[in-house]
Amino acid sequence: MTNDMTKGNPLKIFIYFTIPLLIGNIFQQLYSMVDTIIVGRFVGVNALAALGACNSLFFLVNGLVLGLTSGFAVLVSQKFGAKDDNGVKKAVASNLTLTVVLTVIITGIALLAVKPLLNMMNTPENIYEDARVYITIIYAGIITQTAYNMAAGILRALGDSKTPLYFLIVASVLNVILDLVFIINFNMGVAGAAYATNIAQGVSGVLCLVYSYKKYKILRLKKEDFKVEKSYYTNHLKVAIPMAMQFSVTAVGVIIIQSAINTFGSIVIASYTAASKVLQLVMQPSISFGVTVATYAGQNLGAGRFDRIKHGIKIMNVVSVITSLIAGVALVTLGKYFVILFIENPTQEIFDYAQQVLNYAAIFFIPLGFIFVYRNVLQGMGESFVPMMAGFFELGARALVAFTLPKVIGFTGICLSDPIAWISACVPLMLTYFIKMKKIDKEYRLKEELNDGIV
C-alpha cells in the first residue's frame, strides 16, 4: 500500500517506513556478504582478497546505479505528495526510459574499463585473474541491479517500503542456495559467486516490476504516458546525475584507498575486506533512515509542508545519534566475532588489522549518521549540488590520506581514511541544510506579512 507522509506523527512514519527498508537493506548486504563468507571459507584467503580488491569497483557501478535510480524516484515522490496522479505516471514513464538507456551505456563502459581499473589499483598478481573474472561477470549483469533498484525506488517514492523487502528476501535466499551450489558443488570459485549474485538480483528485479504493475493502478502505464514533456527528463537528470556523481565520487575515493591497501599484500587486503563487510552491515540503519528522509522530504516538499520537514529532521537527528552509538559499541565489542564468519581459522594478525579498522570507524559513527540524514533531506528537496560537492570533499580527503598518512604511520593511516572523509562531507551538508531552512523561514514570514498587509 502507498503511504502519505505529509500527515501524521513523523516518528511513527519513520519507524514504520524504515523497519522493512532496514530489513531489506540487510538482506541486500547478504548478497556480497554470503559471497565473501563462502569464498573465504571454501576457496581461500587469496580468493577472498580478490573479492576485496573488487569491492570498490563493485561499489563504483552499484553506487552509480543507485544514485541514478534514487534520483529518478525523487520526482515521483514529489508528484505523489502533490496528489498529481498524471504527473506520477509521466514521472515513472520518463524514469523507465532514462533507466534503460543509461543502463546500456554504463554496462558497455564498465566492461571496457575492467582491466585498466585493476591495473590502476595495483592489484596483486596472485589475485588478479580471480578479481578480473568476478568483476567482469558482475558488470555484465548491471541490468539486474538497475531493474531492482528502479522498481524499489518507485515503490518507496509512493511510500511502500515493504514490497521491495519481500522480493529481496526471496532473492537473498536464492543467492545463498546458488552460492553453495556453484562454489561448493560445481567448484566455480569466484565466478560462481558472481553468477549467483546476478541471478538472484535479477529475480528480485523482475518480481518487483511484475508485482508493481499488477498491484498499483497508478503504475499501469499506457502508450500515451510515455509522451512526456522535456521538463520531466530535465528534472530527473537535474537530481539524478549529481546523486550518481556523488556515489561515484565516493567510490573513486574507495578505489584510491583500495589501491593503497593493495600494496600491503593479501593478508591485509583480506583483513580489510572482512572489516569492510562488518562496517557495511552496521551502517544499514543509517542508510535506511537516509532513504526514509529523502522520501519524507520529497512528499512534504510537494505538499508545501516545510514545517514538517524541519520537525522530522530534528527527530531523525536524535534517532541517528542513538543508532550510531549502538553501532559503535557493537563494532568495538563484537567485531572479531564477525571476522570469523569470513575467514576460517583467522590468524591473530588478521584479527588485529580488522579490529583496528573497526575501532577507528566506531569513534566517528555519529558524523557518518548525520551525512545520511542531511544528504538525503537535501536531495529529497531537490537540492543536488551541495550533496554532490560533499562527495568531492570526501574524495579529496580520502585521496589526501591515501597518498600521505600510510607512508608516515602505516596501516593506521588507512584506518583514518574513512573517518576523515566522513567529517569532510558532514560539515558542508549540515551548513547547507540550516542555511536553506533559514531562507525558507524568512520567505514564509515575508509572505505572511504581505498577506496581513493586504487583509
Side-chain angles (χ1 to χ4, degrees):
M1 60 181 291
T2 58
N3 182 9
D4 187 351
M5 295 183 170
T6 62
K7 54 188 177 183
N9 187 304
L11 181 58
K12 289 183 178 180
I13 290 173
F14 291 149
I15 292 173
Y16 289 133
F17 189 84
T18 302
I19 288 177
L21 188 63
L22 173 59
I23 296 172
N25 282 347
I26 290 174
F27 270 97
Q28 195 161 33
Q29 282 300 306
L30 289 178
Y31 281 115
S32 58
M33 285 188 67
V34 168
D35 289 348
T36 307
I37 290 170
I38 294 177
V39 167
R41 297 182 71 87
F42 291 97
V43 185
V45 172
N46 282 345
L48 175 62
L51 262 63
C54 293
N55 275 346
S56 54
L57 298 184
F58 179 85
F59 180 49
L60 176 65
V61 171
N62 187 58
L64 181 64
V65 167
L66 184 60
L68 288 172
T69 53
S70 298
F72 293 156
V74 169
L75 184 59
V76 179
S77 68
Q78 291 176 354
K79 295 296 182 182
F80 181 76
K83 307 298 188 295
D84 181 0
D85 288 355
N86 186 52
V88 170
K89 287 179 177 290
K90 289 186 176 183
V92 171
S94 48
N95 180 340
L96 285 167
T97 302
L98 287 171
T99 299
V100 170
V101 172
L102 291 175
T103 297
V104 173
I105 296 173
I106 292 169
T107 301
I109 295 174
L111 289 172
L112 291 173
V114 169
K115 287 187 176 181
L117 286 172
L118 288 173
N119 292 334
M120 182 188 70
M121 290 171 58
N122 303 312
T123 306
E125 186 177 346
N126 63 323
I127 65 174
Y128 187 94
E129 185 58 22
D130 276 346
R132 185 193 66 78
V133 169
Y134 179 81
I135 201 61
T136 298
I137 296 171
I138 290 294
Y139 280 177
I142 289 173
I143 188 172
T144 65
Q145 300 173 41
T146 54
Y148 173 76
N149 284 307
M150 178 191 67
I154 291 171
L155 288 173
R156 288 167 187 154
L158 302 182
D160 181 0
S161 60
K162 293 182 179 179
T163 298
L165 165 64
Y166 300 145
F167 296 125
L168 199 53
I169 291 174
V170 173
S172 297
V173 174
L174 177 60
N175 187 49
V176 173
I177 295 171
L178 292 177
D179 266 329
L180 293 171
V181 172
F182 291 163
I183 295 174
I184 299 176
N185 292 357
F186 293 164
N187 295 315
M188 294 175 65
V190 296
Y195 283 123
T197 296
N198 283 349
I199 293 171
Q201 187 82 51
V203 168
S204 65
V206 171
L207 290 176
C208 207
L209 286 168
V210 172
Y211 179 86
S212 301
Y213 179 81
K214 292 187 175 182
K215 179 68 175 180
Y216 298 105
K217 291 182 179 180
I218 199 171
L219 298 180
R220 296 175 190 171
L221 305 181
K222 298 179 181 179
K223 187 176 180 180
E224 55 266 28
D225 294 320
F226 286 87
K227 296 177 181 178
V228 179
E229 294 91 335
K230 182 180 178 182
S231 60
Y232 278 83
Y233 294 105
T234 302
N235 289 333
H236 273 315
L237 294 172
K238 182 180 177 182
V239 177
I241 288 180
M243 286 181 72
M245 289 183 65
Q246 168 237 305
F247 278 107
S248 297
V249 165
T250 301
V252 170
V254 176
I255 289 174
I256 291 173
I257 294 300
Q258 187 66 54
S259 65
I261 294 168
N262 288 347
T263 63
F264 285 86
S266 298
I267 295 297
V268 171
I269 296 173
S271 303
Y272 192 85
T273 299
S276 296
K277 295 298 180 184
V278 177
L279 286 174
Q280 283 297 318
L281 185 62
V282 297
M283 281 182 191
Q284 293 313 306
S286 295
I287 293 173
S288 302
F289 284 134
V291 176
T292 300
V293 165
T295 304
Y296 176 85
Q299 287 195 16
N300 281 283
L301 177 73
R305 296 296 308 274
F306 294 102
D307 57 323
R308 281 182 61 80
I309 295 176
K310 285 181 63 178
H311 181 53
I313 296 306
K314 289 179 180 178
I315 294 173
M316 186 55 75
N317 279 338
V318 175
V319 174
S320 178
V321 169
I322 293 172
T323 54
S324 295
L325 289 173
I326 294 173
V329 172
L331 289 175
V332 174
T333 58
L334 303 175
K336 65 179 181 180
Y337 299 106
F338 286 107
V339 173
I340 296 173
L341 290 175
F342 300 100
I343 304 173
E344 188 174 14
N345 300 320
T347 63
Q348 187 59 46
E349 185 181 20
I350 290 176
F351 272 133
D352 291 342
Y353 279 127
Q355 190 61 57
Q356 190 176 353
V357 174
L358 300 178
N359 289 344
Y360 278 102
I363 298 172
F364 294 91
F365 245 58
I366 289 178
L368 174 64
F370 285 152
I371 286 176
F372 290 110
V373 172
Y374 288 103
R375 174 180 285 160
N376 282 278
V377 68
L378 289 171
Q379 290 172 337
M381 295 173 67
E383 175 64 58
S384 55
F385 178 74
V386 172
M388 179 184 69
M389 291 306 300
F392 279 104
F393 293 148
E394 223 176 320
L395 171 62
R398 280 198 172 95
L400 181 63
V401 168
F403 293 128
T404 56
L405 290 187
K407 296 178 181 179
V408 180
I409 56 178
F411 185 69
T412 301
I414 298 294
C415 298
L416 289 170
S417 62
D418 279 338
I420 292 174
W422 295 340
I423 293 173
S424 299
C426 181
V427 172
L429 290 169
M430 293 181 69
L431 288 174
T432 300
Y433 170 78
F434 288 116
I435 291 172
K436 185 177 183 69
M437 296 311 292
K438 186 176 181 180
K439 181 180 178 181
I440 290 172
D441 283 340
K442 184 177 180 179
E443 290 174 352
Y444 263 81
R445 284 196 299 270
L446 181 60
K447 287 181 179 179
E448 289 178 355
E449 290 173 1
L450 289 174
N451 288 335
D452 290 341
I454 295 173
V455 173

